[in-house]
Amino acid sequence: MTESPANPALNAIAAASTVSASESESSKRESPEFKETVDDNSNRLETNTDDPQNSVRPPDCAFGWIPTLAVMINNMFTFGASNSYGVFSTYYLNIKFPDTPATTLAWIGTFITMLMLSCSVVTGALADKIGYRPTAYIGTVLCTAAYILASFSDEVWQLILTQGVLLGIGASFIFAPSTSIAPQWFEKHRGLASGVAVSGSSLGGLWFTAATQAMLDSLGAKWTLRILGFITLGVTSIMNLLYFRRVPPKPRKRLFEFGAIKRLTFWLVSLELFSVYTGYWALTFYIGTTARLLGGSMQDGSNLLLVLNAGSAVGRVLAGVVADKFGNINTLLVSLTLTVIIEMPLWMKAKTIAPLYVLCVLYGMISPTFISVNPVIVATQFDPSMLASVMGMANVFSGIGVLTADTNTSIEIPDSRDGANPQQTSNDFKKDSSKIERWDTTHSEDSDTFVSLDHSERPIRPADCAFGWIPTLAVMINYMVIFGASNSYGVFSTYYLNIKFPNTPATTLAWIGTLVTTLMLMCNVVTGALADKIGYRRTAYIGTVLCTTAYILASFSDKVWQLILTQGALLGIGTSFLYAPSISIPPQWFEKHKGMASGIAIAGSSIGGLWFTAATQAMLDSLGAKWTLRVLGFITFGVTSIMNLLYFRRVPPKPRKNLFDFAAAKHLTFWLIALEVFAMHTGFWAITFYIGTTARLLGGSMQDGSKLLLVLNAGNAIGRALAGVVADRFGNINTMLVSIILAVIIEMPLWISAKSMAPLYVLCALYGVVSPAFTSLNPVIVAIQFGPDSLASVIGMTNQFAGIGVLTGNLSQGAIFDKYDKREQFTNVTIFSGMFILFAGFITFVMRTHIVRRLYRKEDAKLTLKKYLLQKI
């Protein structure tokens, strides 16, 4: 039912094995004598060393994925929002400005893309001159200002200047350094890295298309634009910090360097970009309008954009992989040919909505290859130290192509924008517009719920509405950052034991991670009640402040007891304030897909763990512990500050005088859930805590331990989402019971019998997919059995027992490993873990029997063995 942010018992790694000679050298590099310096012009990290070769990192190093994934996340929240402009376009055409010519409104979207590309000739040169990060921060300020100013715009010309011109210029300042980062960090996997980076715009487009449509329906354009501005400011402010470049720019006196234009290759690339951009964006801008002309709704247009963005996300990464194998230009040529073959017949012949979906899937997967591959072609053909400048000059022609396309393809929709009588349509849309604009973010002090200013509207939204995905995905993103960072604690644990505190007992260091998990869960009884009392957002913001403070204070800590208080106790308490409202949101927004929504939200912790495990290891190797902790603090503050704004609850809590409400404790079901949670948390985390130590005992390295954690987190991400989908079909308790049994069957034989690294990877993959169902499904079970009114409070009370389980499990497993396994194996630890998980399965079986019998007694029906076995519950 919870997400453990730490791997405390992994602290036994150093005590179980001897640090190798190479790691001793690493220890010297990572000692307090290690310092980092930043080249103001290049944003490169350098170490204090006499070896001049160390001033430039080698290509294809693990550190390169940090700036690459930072670019991907920035693209999710900047160009992802821009990729959802088609929703705004449909809204402006049909609701806000129904009498304005489409050619006039088209200038908004045209300026965004055209100026983003054309201004790159200046912003690219500026990025190479003053540095990637300063350039990107200018873009952050301009983009945020554009969204905020646009939210106060009531005329078309004002939106053209703000949401069009200013946003386009701001996006260019972020775009120029972003496109230049991935290609310079990689050689062997250059196409893949570039594809992963640019796929962020499509992944963000998926979320922003759905979120923008839901926000426009509920809040109107003004507050939608403001929220987009806040999100852009928060996320990009943090990700810009990670914009490191590998190759320093060559010193030059002039801002612009036009040496590239003397080469024929430059002009061929530029002409290709001009041609592609002239034709590429037509489908993105007008697929929504096409749906309306064929009798579809605005929602159909949004759905088509979702499909198009999903296809693009896959296509951009796939293009990079294919290009690495068959060549960049070869891949680009085949892609462009297939794009023409797909687009023209399917779009021209479409008479219904169905062909448009086929078109969006195929076009999305095949057409965006040029976006992934062109930066790689430039990087291979020109000096990488001037990559931003050359890409900027080439993108001038891209911008001209966009402008040429939009001024020639903008259409006047003749008689009707949805196939109806034009006058009637206009009246209907104006009526809808007035209705939409009456919605406001007025919320009650206690509930954070959206209510309509028009009191004829229902104050409580229906379950399973599209709007529910906004707070659900906000929870997922918060989990990616909060628990993603915490789930990578095993990397810190190994670092502290082997490098920073090699003479400190493992049992002492174990308290850092143990306190994070224990306090997060045990404080939940207070923070959960507080979330129901003062509101979800207020509670979450307290957590944001405490977590950020914990990381910053930990970065100045040089003693173990200081880290126990900061990275342990304070971080655990802060995480509890964020966790309490987060775990309560998805179950109350959904009925039909309650399990899936909860699984998707909680999967964010594992998805974040994948990135943060690799990133934390790379930052510790490069920056040491102090700056790694500070970067984690900055990321936590920036992302959660924005996501907390979207913590809306569907059902307001019942008024109550007391902070605590223990009515649920009167029910047997509550105690069965609490006992199951205790047993699972006592045994579940053993593999997470000790898999790195196992690798070391089998002759593996610290890096092997990190890789096993990556595999485990990847399996968890899949398993948590999959558990929700399965539970919606077969029942939550049924799914959890099967999951627990399979976890025991997988864990005990594979872990005990492992003699090499291969079985450990199999164990992590299978255990990761099967075991974490309880983290997704327990909140759903609580919501079903006790209702959504005091959901955070009830979950908080059950989490008391989860915290006790974590504490009991950690201390017991450590003692068993020391005394009975002699620090040479994990046989007894595995048996201890497996028995408690099996006991949790027995309690789940008892709980299922109790609930089924109560259900049949209530209906006064006869319960047979067949009915019992087939009951979906």
Side-chain angles (χ1 to χ4, degrees), residues 61-83:
C61 63
F63 189 87
W65 286 108
I66 296 179
T68 298
L69 293 174
V71 170
M72 187 192 78
I73 295 172
N74 255 1
N75 285 341
M76 287 177 64
F77 290 90
T78 51
F79 306 115
S82 300
N83 280 353

Side-chain angles (χ1 to χ4, degrees), residues 412-450:
E412 285 285 353
I413 303 178
D415 294 326
S416 169
R417 301 191 183 199
D418 69 345
N421 175 272
Q423 184 61 44
Q424 182 64 38
T425 298
S426 178
N427 292 336
D428 289 343
F429 281 137
K430 288 178 181 177
K431 182 170 65 177
D432 290 342
S433 178
S434 63
K435 175 181 175 182
I436 287 174
E437 294 299 336
R438 284 197 300 269
W439 283 87
D440 195 7
T441 41
T442 307
H443 57 80
S444 71
E445 181 178 353
D446 295 339
S447 67
D448 298 319
T449 51
F450 269 122

Side-chain angles (χ1 to χ4, degrees), residues 104-312:
T104 303
L105 290 170
W107 282 105
I108 301 173
T110 299
F111 274 126
I112 295 176
T113 310
M114 187 267 290
L115 290 175
M116 177 186 73
L117 297 169
S118 295
C119 290
S120 290
V121 67
V122 177
T123 57
L126 202 63
D128 281 337
K129 184 70 175 177
I130 69 172
Y132 284 4
R133 286 192 224 109
T135 305
Y137 274 114
I138 295 172
T140 293
V141 173
L142 292 179
C143 287
T144 304
Y147 280 120
I148 301 302
L149 290 175
S151 72
F152 292 100
S153 302
D154 295 317
E155 304 292 339
V156 174
W157 67 268
Q158 295 171 336
L159 286 171
I160 290 174
L161 290 178
T162 54
Q163 193 179 1
V165 174
L166 186 58
L167 183 60
I169 295 173
S172 182
F173 277 90
I174 299 177
F175 175 73
S178 298
T179 56
S180 310
I181 285 177
Q184 69 177 259
W185 277 99
F186 297 90
E187 288 185 359
K188 184 178 180 181
H189 301 296
R190 182 173 279 169
L192 172 63
S194 182
V196 168
V198 298
S199 70
S201 59
S202 297
L203 292 172
L206 287 170
W207 188 83
F208 276 101
T209 296
T212 300
Q213 182 66 64
M215 287 189 288
L216 284 173
D217 291 343
S218 305
L219 312 176
K222 293 182 181 295
W223 270 103
T224 300
L225 288 164
R226 289 165 194 164
I227 289 174
L228 291 178
F230 297 150
I231 291 174
T232 300
L233 174 64
V235 175
T236 61
S237 294
I238 302 302
M239 292 301 109
N240 293 348
L241 290 172
L242 306 179
Y243 270 29
F244 305 116
R245 62 184 301 161
R246 187 181 71 86
V247 181
K250 292 181 177 179
R252 58 189 187 190
K253 298 180 180 180
R254 296 174 298 177
L255 177 62
F256 299 102
E257 182 62 63
F258 296 111
I261 65 174
K262 300 176 182 178
R263 298 175 55 183
L264 177 61
T265 303
F266 171 82
W267 291 104
L268 292 174
V269 171
S270 300
L271 188 58
E272 174 257 325
L273 285 171
F274 166 78
S275 301
V276 173
Y277 274 95
T278 300
Y280 174 76
W281 295 105
L283 189 67
T284 305
F285 288 162
Y286 290 106
I287 193 64
T289 304
T290 304
R292 300 283 294 182
L293 290 173
L294 294 178
S297 63
M298 289 173 61
Q299 188 62 48
D300 288 321
S302 297
N303 291 340
L304 287 166
L305 280 174
L306 281 171
V307 172
L308 188 63
N309 277 308
S312 291

Side-chain angles (χ1 to χ4, degrees), residues 339-486:
T339 298
V340 175
I341 295 173
I342 290 168
E343 180 191 30
M344 297 185 67
L346 283 175
W347 200 1
M348 292 173 65
K349 298 294 184 181
K351 303 297 182 185
T352 62
I353 300 294
L356 297 184
Y357 281 99
V358 177
L359 170 63
C360 287
V361 170
L362 297 178
Y363 188 87
M365 291 185 64
I366 293 173
S367 62
T369 300
F370 76 98
I371 298 175
S372 304
V373 172
N374 270 309
V376 180
I377 295 173
V378 172
T380 55
Q381 298 297 318
F382 297 92
D383 187 345
S385 66
M386 299 186 296
L387 187 55
S389 301
V390 177
M391 279 300 304
M393 290 188 291
N395 276 330
V396 171
F397 297 88
S398 303
I400 297 172
V402 172
L403 181 63
T404 303
D406 289 346
T407 53
N408 286 282
T409 59
S410 296
I411 59 172
E412 285 285 353
I413 303 178
D415 294 326
S416 169
R417 301 191 183 199
D418 69 345
N421 175 272
Q423 184 61 44
Q424 182 64 38
T425 298
S426 178
N427 292 336
D428 289 343
F429 281 137
K430 288 178 181 177
K431 182 170 65 177
D432 290 342
S433 178
S434 63
K435 175 181 175 182
I436 287 174
E437 294 299 336
R438 284 197 300 269
W439 283 87
D440 195 7
T441 41
T442 307
H443 57 80
S444 71
E445 181 178 353
D446 295 339
S447 67
D448 298 319
T449 51
F450 269 122
V451 294
S452 173
L453 293 180
D454 181 353
H455 296 289
S456 64
E457 299 287 340
R458 293 180 59 192
I460 298 178
R461 290 179 176 273
D464 296 300
C465 64
F467 188 87
W469 287 108
I470 296 177
T472 298
L473 292 174
V475 169
M476 187 191 77
I477 293 169
N478 260 0
Y479 276 162
M480 288 175 64
V481 175
I482 307 163
F483 302 118
S486 302

Side-chain angles (χ1 to χ4, degrees), residues 660-809:
F660 299 103
D661 187 353
F662 297 108
K666 300 176 182 178
H667 298 277
L668 177 60
T669 304
F670 170 84
W671 292 104
L672 290 173
I673 293 174
L675 191 56
E676 172 261 323
V677 166
F678 164 78
M680 279 301 298
H681 279 277
T682 302
F684 174 77
W685 300 106
I687 286 183
T688 308
F689 295 164
Y690 285 104
I691 195 65
T693 308
T694 306
R696 294 295 295 270
L697 290 176
L698 294 178
S701 65
M702 290 167 58
Q703 190 64 36
D704 289 321
S706 296
K707 290 178 181 178
L708 287 167
L709 281 174
L710 283 171
V711 173
L712 190 64
N713 276 311
N716 280 336
I718 297 170
R720 293 173 186 192
L722 183 62
V725 176
V726 174
D728 286 336
R729 181 172 178 82
F730 297 104
N732 297 288
I733 298 178
N734 296 340
T735 303
M736 188 163 72
L737 182 58
V738 173
S739 165
I740 291 172
I741 295 172
L742 289 176
V744 176
I745 294 173
I746 290 169
E747 178 193 34
M748 297 186 70
L750 281 176
W751 199 2
I752 292 175
S753 63
K755 302 299 181 185
S756 64
M757 296 299 298
L760 295 185
Y761 281 99
V762 175
L763 170 64
C764 287
L766 295 179
Y767 188 83
V769 171
V770 170
S771 62
F774 79 101
T775 61
S776 303
L777 301 182
N778 270 314
V780 180
I781 295 171
V782 172
I784 293 173
Q785 297 298 318
F786 297 98
D789 295 335
S790 302
L791 187 56
S793 301
V794 178
I795 292 177
M797 289 190 291
T798 59
N799 274 337
Q800 284 275 10
F801 298 89
I804 296 172
V806 171
L807 185 60
T808 302

